[in-house]
Amino acid sequence: MEKQNDVDKIVSLAKRRGFVFQSSEIYGGLNGCWDYGPLGVELLKNIKEEWWKSMTYREDVEGVDASILMHPKVWEASGHVANFTDPMIDCKQCKARFRLDVLGDSINQKKKDKAVIETKTEFKANAQVLERIENKLSNPGDEDPFNLLLEDAEISKVLLSKLNCPQCGNPNTFTDARKFNLMFKTFIGPVEDNSAVVYLRPETAQGIFVNFLNVQGSARQKLPFGIAQIGKAFRNEINTKNFLFRTREFEQMEMQFFVKPADDKKWYDYWKAERLEWFKSLGMTPSKLRYHDHPQNKLAHYAKEATDIEYEFPFGWGEIEGIHNRTDFDLSQHEKFSGKSLKYFDEESKEKFVPYIIETSAGASRSFMAFLTDAYYEEEVKGEIRSVLKFHPRLAPLKAAILPLVNKDGMPEISREIEKTLRKNFKVFYDDKGAIGRRYRRMDEAGTPYSITVDTQTLEDRTVTVRERDSMEQVRVSIDQLTNYLSDKLLNS
RNA sequence: GCGGGCGUAACUCAGUUGGCAGAGUGUCAGCUUCCCAAGCUGAAUGUCGCGGGUUCGAGCCCCGUCGCCCGCUCCA
């Protein structure tokens, strides 16, 4: 109950203040799609900009911006075509769902053997199918032969009817296997046939891998070095969930760091520490951040070592960034599928090899939600509730508000002058509507760190008050020092 | 994909047995106002998520559908 309220509160605030709107709202919305409003787009842009600066304003990382549509073979090489199409079955009785390729793991051997025998009996008039069954049973490789049988549509249909649901134990309750293709498919050109199929990228990383030598050569980089990219990616998830957390369209901030294989551990540890520090440096509550190291037996097909940086959302801990040792898997696969060498020649050792890759992959949309959630506070001030978004000043959508204390005596004119000057460098907001206290509170709720107020003293000595959002304390600053004052706060906080 | 909850103004929500569409907050205009959602006056804003049905009459009952939240499942 409380959890739900927390998420709802954020969703409601996000809409009311123009951070996030539901996509296509006037048409009833589109499942799991969201639009960023005026304040949201600024916050998102600032998050991406901070990431970009911290990741690429250094001599060993270059940037790219690759096309979302890529050659379809990229996704065969990456493993996504195979791994993104897990056939699934449901139990009609208890509604449990299983991945067909691992169903065998949850059924004991005796029952499996029995089901296979019954299946063979059913096919006894069909020599062709019987041969396929025997063939799979006798040449299982390192697979469970039972799972191999399930992969064959014709055999699996009968085999499934001989099995009991591992969840509820009822016999013959499985639906037919259905494929869930998690990549969005579309077509290049006007003809929608198979030769024109392309995919919306399910991760930005591949755009970096295929450009490895282009970037290395043109930027005259040597190992170790990285390539960074920010961009949208798409996964046709079965379910969307938790506001911006699980969506089908999302934005990634990825950096792939190319290293000598022997140095992989060193750089994995380096980036693991570096990336957690980034979130903390932008004010995220340290106690709400943690690592989740992946155990060896749960690693993805390409990874040697992996950890998630998790944030404690109102709904629980959730991954906002993954750090992986991808080994030489990706580049080797692209060598294989493209026929082009992606080896690096090391001048010192005179060796030619495929580099290892340490990946840092952060979700921009997820980081947005984490920063937004983390910044939200409700405080009691003189018996009233003050809602305030305590964004780090560099992330705040608006940097300062300019407020004439009253709308007379030349205060609006001076305020407009200040606004004009500050606008050259900062996203600022001019507000002369309503009482000053109300205007401060409005800015609190938008997360604006500084409010500049023009009062009677301004008319005498050209100074204004600057009110700090979190402490609500004020200092007097000379008008001609305002740009310096704000610059200093933004750079050094 | 399954189950549960919800959907009424920008936001939070009320809406009685099926009988005129409401409140608070916010927004806007004016007055007032020299520092923290103050006060006064006035104003605008509704396909009651959408589509059907029942009924003399539906925000309310029924069916379908879409969306959000929760749980399961999924999340290489």
PDB file of all heavy atoms in Angstrom, chain B residues 3-15:
ATOM      1  P     G B   3      -7.573 -13.905 -15.960  1.00  0.00           P
ATOM      2  OP1   G B   3      -8.873 -14.607 -16.000  1.00  0.00           O
ATOM      3  OP2   G B   3      -7.370 -12.678 -16.761  1.00  0.00           O
ATOM      4  O5'   G B   3      -7.216 -13.585 -14.449  1.00  0.00           O
ATOM      5  C5'   G B   3      -7.432 -14.571 -13.441  1.00  0.00           C
ATOM      6  C4'   G B   3      -6.894 -14.103 -12.120  1.00  0.00           C
ATOM      7  O4'   G B   3      -5.460 -13.881 -12.226  1.00  0.00           O
ATOM      8  C3'   G B   3      -7.419 -12.765 -11.631  1.00  0.00           C
ATOM      9  O3'   G B   3      -8.715 -12.849 -11.062  1.00  0.00           O
ATOM     10  C2'   G B   3      -6.353 -12.386 -10.608  1.00  0.00           C
ATOM     11  O2'   G B   3      -6.489 -13.127  -9.414  1.00  0.00           O
ATOM     12  C1'   G B   3      -5.084 -12.835 -11.343  1.00  0.00           C
ATOM     13  N9    G B   3      -4.524 -11.730 -12.118  1.00  0.00           N
ATOM     14  C8    G B   3      -4.597 -11.507 -13.472  1.00  0.00           C
ATOM     15  N7    G B   3      -3.999 -10.405 -13.857  1.00  0.00           N
ATOM     16  C5    G B   3      -3.497  -9.868 -12.674  1.00  0.00           C
ATOM     17  C6    G B   3      -2.758  -8.673 -12.435  1.00  0.00           C
ATOM     18  O6    G B   3      -2.378  -7.837 -13.256  1.00  0.00           O
ATOM     19  N1    G B   3      -2.470  -8.502 -11.080  1.00  0.00           N
ATOM     20  C2    G B   3      -2.839  -9.368 -10.081  1.00  0.00           C
ATOM     21  N2    G B   3      -2.470  -9.044  -8.846  1.00  0.00           N
ATOM     22  N3    G B   3      -3.522 -10.492 -10.281  1.00  0.00           N
ATOM     23  C4    G B   3      -3.818 -10.664 -11.590  1.00  0.00           C
ATOM     24  P     G B   4      -9.674 -11.544 -11.090  1.00  0.00           P
ATOM     25  OP1   G B   4     -10.989 -11.974 -10.585  1.00  0.00           O
ATOM     26  OP2   G B   4      -9.559 -10.916 -12.429  1.00  0.00           O
ATOM     27  O5'   G B   4      -9.001 -10.572 -10.021  1.00  0.00           O
ATOM     28  C5'   G B   4      -9.073 -10.871  -8.635  1.00  0.00           C
ATOM     29  C4'   G B   4      -8.295  -9.864  -7.839  1.00  0.00           C
ATOM     30  O4'   G B   4      -6.912  -9.843  -8.292  1.00  0.00           O
ATOM     31  C3'   G B   4      -8.734  -8.423  -7.989  1.00  0.00           C
ATOM     32  O3'   G B   4      -9.888  -8.102  -7.232  1.00  0.00           O
ATOM     33  C2'   G B   4      -7.495  -7.675  -7.509  1.00  0.00           C
ATOM     34  O2'   G B   4      -7.372  -7.729  -6.095  1.00  0.00           O
ATOM     35  C1'   G B   4      -6.389  -8.531  -8.137  1.00  0.00           C
ATOM     36  N9    G B   4      -6.017  -7.999  -9.453  1.00  0.00           N
ATOM     37  C8    G B   4      -6.344  -8.495 -10.687  1.00  0.00           C
ATOM     38  N7    G B   4      -5.880  -7.780 -11.674  1.00  0.00           N
ATOM     39  C5    G B   4      -5.189  -6.746 -11.045  1.00  0.00           C
ATOM     40  C6    G B   4      -4.461  -5.648 -11.599  1.00  0.00           C
ATOM     41  O6    G B   4      -4.274  -5.367 -12.780  1.00  0.00           O
ATOM     42  N1    G B   4      -3.928  -4.830 -10.593  1.00  0.00           N
ATOM     43  C2    G B   4      -4.074  -5.051  -9.250  1.00  0.00           C
ATOM     44  N2    G B   4      -3.502  -4.152  -8.446  1.00  0.00           N
ATOM     45  N3    G B   4      -4.746  -6.066  -8.717  1.00  0.00           N
ATOM     46  C4    G B   4      -5.268  -6.867  -9.679  1.00  0.00           C
ATOM     47  P     G B   5     -10.888  -6.945  -7.751  1.00  0.00           P
ATOM     48  OP1   G B   5     -12.062  -6.965  -6.868  1.00  0.00           O
ATOM     49  OP2   G B   5     -11.058  -7.095  -9.217  1.00  0.00           O
ATOM     50  O5'   G B   5     -10.058  -5.617  -7.481  1.00  0.00           O
ATOM     51  C5'   G B   5      -9.807  -5.194  -6.146  1.00  0.00           C
ATOM     52  C4'   G B   5      -8.906  -3.986  -6.145  1.00  0.00           C
ATOM     53  O4'   G B   5      -7.667  -4.304  -6.841  1.00  0.00           O
ATOM     54  C3'   G B   5      -9.432  -2.780  -6.910  1.00  0.00           C
ATOM     55  O3'   G B   5     -10.389  -2.041  -6.179  1.00  0.00           O
ATOM     56  C2'   G B   5      -8.145  -1.998  -7.170  1.00  0.00           C
ATOM     57  O2'   G B   5      -7.702  -1.339  -6.002  1.00  0.00           O
ATOM     58  C1'   G B   5      -7.178  -3.143  -7.494  1.00  0.00           C
ATOM     59  N9    G B   5      -7.130  -3.388  -8.940  1.00  0.00           N
ATOM     60  C8    G B   5      -7.723  -4.395  -9.657  1.00  0.00           C
ATOM     61  N7    G B   5      -7.494  -4.317 -10.944  1.00  0.00           N
ATOM     62  C5    G B   5      -6.708  -3.185 -11.091  1.00  0.00           C
ATOM     63  C6    G B   5      -6.134  -2.588 -12.246  1.00  0.00           C
ATOM     64  O6    G B   5      -6.223  -2.956 -13.422  1.00  0.00           O
ATOM     65  N1    G B   5      -5.408  -1.442 -11.930  1.00  0.00           N
ATOM     66  C2    G B   5      -5.242  -0.937 -10.667  1.00  0.00           C
ATOM     67  N2    G B   5      -4.516   0.174 -10.562  1.00  0.00           N
ATOM     68  N3    G B   5      -5.757  -1.482  -9.572  1.00  0.00           N
ATOM     69  C4    G B   5      -6.470  -2.596  -9.862  1.00  0.00           C
ATOM     70  P     C B   6     -11.594  -1.314  -6.962  1.00  0.00           P
ATOM     71  OP1   C B   6     -12.487  -0.738  -5.938  1.00  0.00           O
ATOM     72  OP2   C B   6     -12.115  -2.243  -7.987  1.00  0.00           O
ATOM     73  O5'   C B   6     -10.866  -0.124  -7.729  1.00  0.00           O
ATOM     74  C5'   C B   6     -10.296   0.962  -7.002  1.00  0.00           C
ATOM     75  C4'   C B   6      -9.372   1.754  -7.881  1.00  0.00           C
ATOM     76  O4'   C B   6      -8.464   0.857  -8.585  1.00  0.00           O
ATOM     77  C3'   C B   6     -10.022   2.529  -9.019  1.00  0.00           C
ATOM     78  O3'   C B   6     -10.614   3.733  -8.575  1.00  0.00           O
ATOM     79  C2'   C B   6      -8.829   2.779  -9.932  1.00  0.00           C
ATOM     80  O2'   C B   6      -7.989   3.800  -9.434  1.00  0.00           O
ATOM     81  C1'   C B   6      -8.089   1.449  -9.819  1.00  0.00           C
ATOM     82  N1    C B   6      -8.421   0.531 -10.932  1.00  0.00           N
ATOM     83  C2    C B   6      -7.846   0.801 -12.186  1.00  0.00           C
ATOM     84  O2    C B   6      -7.102   1.790 -12.304  1.00  0.00           O
ATOM     85  N3    C B   6      -8.123  -0.014 -13.233  1.00  0.00           N
ATOM     86  C4    C B   6      -8.919  -1.060 -13.055  1.00  0.00           C
ATOM     87  N4    C B   6      -9.154  -1.819 -14.121  1.00  0.00           N
ATOM     88  C5    C B   6      -9.518  -1.358 -11.795  1.00  0.00           C
ATOM     89  C6    C B   6      -9.246  -0.546 -10.757  1.00  0.00           C
ATOM     90  P     G B   7     -11.814   4.376  -9.409  1.00  0.00           P
ATOM     91  OP1   G B   7     -12.337   5.494  -8.593  1.00  0.00           O
ATOM     92  OP2   G B   7     -12.729   3.330  -9.886  1.00  0.00           O
ATOM     93  O5'   G B   7     -11.077   4.977 -10.671  1.00  0.00           O
ATOM     94  C5'   G B   7     -10.018   5.931 -10.513  1.00  0.00           C
ATOM     95  C4'   G B   7      -9.482   6.344 -11.871  1.00  0.00           C
ATOM     96  O4'   G B   7      -9.082   5.159 -12.597  1.00  0.00           O
ATOM     97  C3'   G B   7     -10.500   7.065 -12.751  1.00  0.00           C
ATOM     98  O3'   G B   7      -9.843   8.068 -13.514  1.00  0.00           O
ATOM     99  C2'   G B   7     -10.989   5.968 -13.695  1.00  0.00           C
ATOM    100  O2'   G B   7     -11.417   6.455 -14.951  1.00  0.00           O
ATOM    101  C1'   G B   7      -9.712   5.148 -13.862  1.00  0.00           C
ATOM    102  N9    G B   7      -9.987   3.765 -14.251  1.00  0.00           N
ATOM    103  C8    G B   7     -10.595   2.798 -13.503  1.00  0.00           C
ATOM    104  N7    G B   7     -10.724   1.666 -14.130  1.00  0.00           N
ATOM    105  C5    G B   7     -10.157   1.893 -15.374  1.00  0.00           C
ATOM    106  C6    G B   7     -10.016   1.031 -16.487  1.00  0.00           C
ATOM    107  O6    G B   7     -10.354  -0.149 -16.600  1.00  0.00           O
ATOM    108  N1    G B   7      -9.390   1.673 -17.557  1.00  0.00           N
ATOM    109  C2    G B   7      -8.961   2.973 -17.545  1.00  0.00           C
ATOM    110  N2    G B   7      -8.390   3.400 -18.670  1.00  0.00           N
ATOM    111  N3    G B   7      -9.094   3.792 -16.514  1.00  0.00           N
ATOM    112  C4    G B   7      -9.695   3.190 -15.468  1.00  0.00           C
ATOM    113  P     U B   8      -9.895   9.564 -13.033  1.00  0.00           P
ATOM    114  OP1   U B   8      -9.230  10.373 -14.079  1.00  0.00           O
ATOM    115  OP2   U B   8      -9.437   9.609 -11.649  1.00  0.00           O
ATOM    116  O5'   U B   8     -11.458   9.896 -13.061  1.00  0.00           O
ATOM    117  C5'   U B   8     -12.109  10.153 -14.292  1.00  0.00           C
ATOM    118  C4'   U B   8     -13.211  11.141 -14.074  1.00  0.00           C
ATOM    119  O4'   U B   8     -14.183  10.596 -13.136  1.00  0.00           O
ATOM    120  C3'   U B   8     -12.797  12.455 -13.424  1.00  0.00           C
ATOM    121  O3'   U B   8     -12.201  13.353 -14.350  1.00  0.00           O
ATOM    122  C2'   U B   8     -14.131  12.948 -12.877  1.00  0.00           C
ATOM    123  O2'   U B   8     -14.963  13.385 -13.930  1.00  0.00           O
ATOM    124  C1'   U B   8     -14.699  11.637 -12.325  1.00  0.00           C
ATOM    125  N1    U B   8     -14.286  11.394 -10.928  1.00  0.00           N
ATOM    126  C2    U B   8     -14.903  12.129  -9.927  1.00  0.00           C
ATOM    127  O2    U B   8     -15.762  12.960 -10.163  1.00  0.00           O
ATOM    128  N3    U B   8     -14.475  11.849  -8.663  1.00  0.00           N
ATOM    129  C4    U B   8     -13.511  10.944  -8.291  1.00  0.00           C
ATOM    130  O4    U B   8     -13.235  10.809  -7.115  1.00  0.00           O
ATOM    131  C5    U B   8     -12.907  10.222  -9.378  1.00  0.00           C
ATOM    132  C6    U B   8     -13.306  10.477 -10.626  1.00  0.00           C
ATOM    133  P     A B   9     -10.978  14.205 -13.848  1.00  0.00           P
ATOM    134  OP1   A B   9      -9.871  13.958 -14.797  1.00  0.00           O
ATOM    135  OP2   A B   9     -10.782  13.988 -12.407  1.00  0.00           O
ATOM    136  O5'   A B   9     -11.483  15.689 -14.048  1.00  0.00           O
ATOM    137  C5'   A B   9     -11.614  16.210 -15.362  1.00  0.00           C
ATOM    138  C4'   A B   9     -11.198  17.660 -15.384  1.00  0.00           C
ATOM    139  O4'   A B   9     -12.123  18.417 -14.567  1.00  0.00           O
ATOM    140  C3'   A B   9      -9.803  17.926 -14.811  1.00  0.00           C
ATOM    141  O3'   A B   9      -9.193  18.970 -15.547  1.00  0.00           O
ATOM    142  C2'   A B   9     -10.088  18.409 -13.404  1.00  0.00           C
ATOM    143  O2'   A B   9      -9.103  19.260 -12.898  1.00  0.00           O
ATOM    144  C1'   A B   9     -11.398  19.171 -13.610  1.00  0.00           C
ATOM    145  N9    A B   9     -12.205  19.301 -12.406  1.00  0.00           N
ATOM    146  C8    A B   9     -12.007  18.733 -11.173  1.00  0.00           C
ATOM    147  N7    A B   9     -12.898  19.079 -10.283  1.00  0.00           N
ATOM    148  C5    A B   9     -13.750  19.923 -10.970  1.00  0.00           C
ATOM    149  C6    A B   9     -14.896  20.621 -10.589  1.00  0.00           C
ATOM    150  N6    A B   9     -15.403  20.578  -9.359  1.00  0.00           N
ATOM    151  N1    A B   9     -15.505  21.375 -11.522  1.00  0.00           N
ATOM    152  C2    A B   9     -14.988  21.421 -12.752  1.00  0.00           C
ATOM    153  N3    A B   9     -13.907  20.804 -13.232  1.00  0.00           N
ATOM    154  C4    A B   9     -13.332  20.068 -12.284  1.00  0.00           C
ATOM    155  P     A B  10      -8.285  18.631 -16.793  1.00  0.00           P
ATOM    156  OP1   A B  10      -8.300  19.852 -17.605  1.00  0.00           O
ATOM    157  OP2   A B  10      -8.648  17.315 -17.383  1.00  0.00           O
ATOM    158  O5'   A B  10      -6.858  18.460 -16.122  1.00  0.00           O
ATOM    159  C5'   A B  10      -5.679  18.361 -16.937  1.00  0.00           C
ATOM    160  C4'   A B  10      -4.486  18.646 -16.057  1.00  0.00           C
ATOM    161  O4'   A B  10      -4.523  20.050 -15.711  1.00  0.00           O
ATOM    162  C3'   A B  10      -4.484  17.894 -14.732  1.00  0.00           C
ATOM    163  O3'   A B  10      -3.811  16.660 -14.851  1.00  0.00           O
ATOM    164  C2'   A B  10      -3.767  18.857 -13.791  1.00  0.00           C
ATOM    165  O2'   A B  10      -2.368  18.757 -13.943  1.00  0.00           O
ATOM    166  C1'   A B  10      -4.216  20.227 -14.335  1.00  0.00           C
ATOM    167  N9    A B  10      -5.413  20.762 -13.669  1.00  0.00           N
ATOM    168  C8    A B  10      -6.585  21.092 -14.287  1.00  0.00           C
ATOM    169  N7    A B  10      -7.490  21.582 -13.475  1.00  0.00           N
ATOM    170  C5    A B  10      -6.872  21.563 -12.249  1.00  0.00           C
ATOM    171  C6    A B  10      -7.312  21.960 -10.973  1.00  0.00           C
ATOM    172  N6    A B  10      -8.528  22.478 -10.730  1.00  0.00           N
ATOM    173  N1    A B  10      -6.456  21.818  -9.948  1.00  0.00           N
ATOM    174  C2    A B  10      -5.254  21.305 -10.190  1.00  0.00           C
ATOM    175  N3    A B  10      -4.720  20.893 -11.355  1.00  0.00           N
ATOM    176  C4    A B  10      -5.588  21.061 -12.351  1.00  0.00           C
ATOM    177  P     C B  11      -4.383  15.390 -14.033  1.00  0.00           P
ATOM    178  OP1   C B  11      -3.617  14.235 -14.530  1.00  0.00           O
ATOM    179  OP2   C B  11      -5.865  15.370 -14.053  1.00  0.00           O
ATOM    180  O5'   C B  11      -3.903  15.692 -12.550  1.00  0.00           O
ATOM    181  C5'   C B  11      -2.516  15.636 -12.200  1.00  0.00           C
ATOM    182  C4'   C B  11      -2.357  15.937 -10.729  1.00  0.00           C
ATOM    183  O4'   C B  11      -2.814  17.293 -10.475  1.00  0.00           O
ATOM    184  C3'   C B  11      -3.218  15.093  -9.810  1.00  0.00           C
ATOM    185  O3'   C B  11      -2.606  13.858  -9.519  1.00  0.00           O
ATOM    186  C2'   C B  11      -3.358  15.979  -8.585  1.00  0.00           C
ATOM    187  O2'   C B  11      -2.187  15.955  -7.801  1.00  0.00           O
ATOM    188  C1'   C B  11      -3.477  17.369  -9.227  1.00  0.00           C
ATOM    189  N1    C B  11      -4.874  17.779  -9.463  1.00  0.00           N
ATOM    190  C2    C B  11      -5.639  18.218  -8.364  1.00  0.00           C
ATOM    191  O2    C B  11      -5.129  18.214  -7.240  1.00  0.00           O
ATOM    192  N3    C B  11      -6.912  18.628  -8.576  1.00  0.00           N
ATOM    193  C4    C B  11      -7.425  18.621  -9.800  1.00  0.00           C
ATOM    194  N4    C B  11      -8.687  19.044  -9.959  1.00  0.00           N
ATOM    195  C5    C B  11      -6.684  18.162 -10.923  1.00  0.00           C
ATOM    196  C6    C B  11      -5.416  17.757 -10.712  1.00  0.00           C
ATOM    197  P     U B  12      -3.537  12.618  -9.175  1.00  0.00           P
ATOM    198  OP1   U B  12      -2.639  11.451  -9.098  1.00  0.00           O
ATOM    199  OP2   U B  12      -4.682  12.604 -10.109  1.00  0.00           O
ATOM    200  O5'   U B  12      -4.093  12.954  -7.725  1.00  0.00           O
ATOM    201  C5'   U B  12      -3.211  13.033  -6.611  1.00  0.00           C
ATOM    202  C4'   U B  12      -3.998  13.359  -5.369  1.00  0.00           C
ATOM    203  O4'   U B  12      -4.560  14.695  -5.501  1.00  0.00           O
ATOM    204  C3'   U B  12      -5.220  12.477  -5.144  1.00  0.00           C
ATOM    205  O3'   U B  12      -4.876  11.260  -4.512  1.00  0.00           O
ATOM    206  C2'   U B  12      -6.107  13.363  -4.276  1.00  0.00           C
ATOM    207  O2'   U B  12      -5.678  13.363  -2.929  1.00  0.00           O
ATOM    208  C1'   U B  12      -5.833  14.746  -4.878  1.00  0.00           C
ATOM    209  N1    U B  12      -6.840  15.126  -5.886  1.00  0.00           N
ATOM    210  C2    U B  12      -8.003  15.735  -5.441  1.00  0.00           C
ATOM    211  O2    U B  12      -8.225  15.947  -4.265  1.00  0.00           O
ATOM    212  N3    U B  12      -8.896  16.077  -6.425  1.00  0.00           N
ATOM    213  C4    U B  12      -8.750  15.883  -7.782  1.00  0.00           C
ATOM    214  O4    U B  12      -9.637  16.243  -8.548  1.00  0.00           O
ATOM    215  C5    U B  12      -7.527  15.245  -8.178  1.00  0.00           C
ATOM    216  C6    U B  12      -6.637  14.899  -7.237  1.00  0.00           C
ATOM    217  P     C B  13      -5.785   9.976  -4.812  1.00  0.00           P
ATOM    218  OP1   C B  13      -5.556   9.053  -3.687  1.00  0.00           O
ATOM    219  OP2   C B  13      -5.479   9.536  -6.190  1.00  0.00           O
ATOM    220  O5'   C B  13      -7.266  10.547  -4.822  1.00  0.00           O
ATOM    221  C5'   C B  13      -8.240   9.961  -4.048  1.00  0.00           C
ATOM    222  C4'   C B  13      -9.257  10.989  -3.618  1.00  0.00           C
ATOM    223  O4'   C B  13      -9.166  12.219  -4.367  1.00  0.00           O
ATOM    224  C3'   C B  13     -10.711  10.580  -3.839  1.00  0.00           C
ATOM    225  O3'   C B  13     -11.144   9.636  -2.885  1.00  0.00           O
ATOM    226  C2'   C B  13     -11.419  11.924  -3.679  1.00  0.00           C
ATOM    227  O2'   C B  13     -11.537  12.279  -2.329  1.00  0.00           O
ATOM    228  C1'   C B  13     -10.432  12.873  -4.363  1.00  0.00           C
ATOM    229  N1    C B  13     -10.827  13.215  -5.741  1.00  0.00           N
ATOM    230  C2    C B  13     -11.909  14.079  -5.930  1.00  0.00           C
ATOM    231  O2    C B  13     -12.499  14.524  -4.937  1.00  0.00           O
ATOM    232  N3    C B  13     -12.298  14.400  -7.188  1.00  0.00           N
ATOM    233  C4    C B  13     -11.647  13.907  -8.232  1.00  0.00           C
ATOM    234  N4    C B  13     -12.063  14.256  -9.451  1.00  0.00           N
ATOM    235  C5    C B  13     -10.537  13.012  -8.076  1.00  0.00           C
ATOM    236  C6    C B  13     -10.165  12.692  -6.830  1.00  0.00           C
ATOM    237  P     A B  14     -12.448   8.769  -3.229  1.00  0.00           P
ATOM    238  OP1   A B  14     -12.526   7.773  -2.125  1.00  0.00           O
ATOM    239  OP2   A B  14     -12.424   8.306  -4.629  1.00  0.00           O
ATOM    240  O5'   A B  14     -13.619   9.844  -3.093  1.00  0.00           O
ATOM    241  C5'   A B  14     -14.257  10.004  -1.877  1.00  0.00           C
ATOM    242  C4'   A B  14     -15.297  11.091  -1.895  1.00  0.00           C
ATOM    243  O4'   A B  14     -14.975  12.212  -2.741  1.00  0.00           O
ATOM    244  C3'   A B  14     -16.679  10.705  -2.399  1.00  0.00           C
ATOM    245  O3'   A B  14     -17.352   9.822  -1.526  1.00  0.00           O
ATOM    246  C2'   A B  14     -17.328  12.087  -2.456  1.00  0.00           C
ATOM    247  O2'   A B  14     -17.626  12.559  -1.160  1.00  0.00           O
ATOM    248  C1'   A B  14     -16.179  12.910  -3.031  1.00  0.00           C
ATOM    249  N9    A B  14     -16.338  13.068  -4.480  1.00  0.00           N
ATOM    250  C8    A B  14     -15.557  12.574  -5.489  1.00  0.00           C
ATOM    251  N7    A B  14     -15.976  12.897  -6.697  1.00  0.00           N
ATOM    252  C5    A B  14     -17.115  13.655  -6.456  1.00  0.00           C
ATOM    253  C6    A B  14     -18.034  14.305  -7.322  1.00  0.00           C
ATOM    254  N6    A B  14     -17.932  14.275  -8.648  1.00  0.00           N
ATOM    255  N1    A B  14     -19.062  14.979  -6.752  1.00  0.00           N
ATOM    256  C2    A B  14     -19.167  15.000  -5.419  1.00  0.00           C
ATOM    257  N3    A B  14     -18.362  14.427  -4.506  1.00  0.00           N
ATOM    258  C4    A B  14     -17.351  13.768  -5.102  1.00  0.00           C
ATOM    259  P     G B  15     -18.049   8.564  -2.144  1.00  0.00           P
ATOM    260  OP1   G B  15     -18.721   7.870  -1.024  1.00  0.00           O
ATOM    261  OP2   G B  15     -17.092   7.819  -3.002  1.00  0.00           O
ATOM    262  O5'   G B  15     -19.144   9.201  -3.093  1.00  0.00           O
ATOM    263  C5'   G B  15     -20.189   9.988  -2.543  1.00  0.00           C
ATOM    264  C4'   G B  15     -20.944  10.690  -3.634  1.00  0.00           C
ATOM    265  O4'   G B  15     -20.036  11.540  -4.379  1.00  0.00           O
ATOM    266  C3'   G B  15     -21.540   9.783  -4.714  1.00  0.00           C
ATOM    267  O3'   G B  15     -22.753   9.187  -4.282  1.00  0.00           O
ATOM    268  C2'   G B  15     -21.734  10.764  -5.863  1.00  0.00           C
ATOM    269  O2'   G B  15     -22.856  11.599  -5.665  1.00  0.00           O
ATOM    270  C1'   G B  15     -20.453  11.603  -5.745  1.00  0.00           C
ATOM    271  N9    G B  15     -19.406  11.038  -6.589  1.00  0.00           N
ATOM    272  C8    G B  15     -18.339  10.250  -6.210  1.00  0.00           C
ATOM    273  N7    G B  15     -17.591   9.876  -7.207  1.00  0.00           N
ATOM    274  C5    G B  15     -18.200  10.443  -8.323  1.00  0.00           C
ATOM    275  C6    G B  15     -17.857  10.388  -9.687  1.00  0.00           C
ATOM    276  O6    G B  15     -16.901   9.804 -10.217  1.00  0.00           O
ATOM    277  N1    G B  15     -18.740  11.104 -10.484  1.00  0.00           N
ATOM    278  C2    G B  15     -19.829  11.786 -10.032  1.00  0.00           C
ATOM    279  N2    G B  15     -20.565  12.399 -10.957  1.00  0.00           N
ATOM    280  N3    G B  15     -20.173  11.849  -8.745  1.00  0.00           N
ATOM    281  C4    G B  15     -19.317  11.161  -7.959  1.00  0.00           C
TER     282        G B  15
END
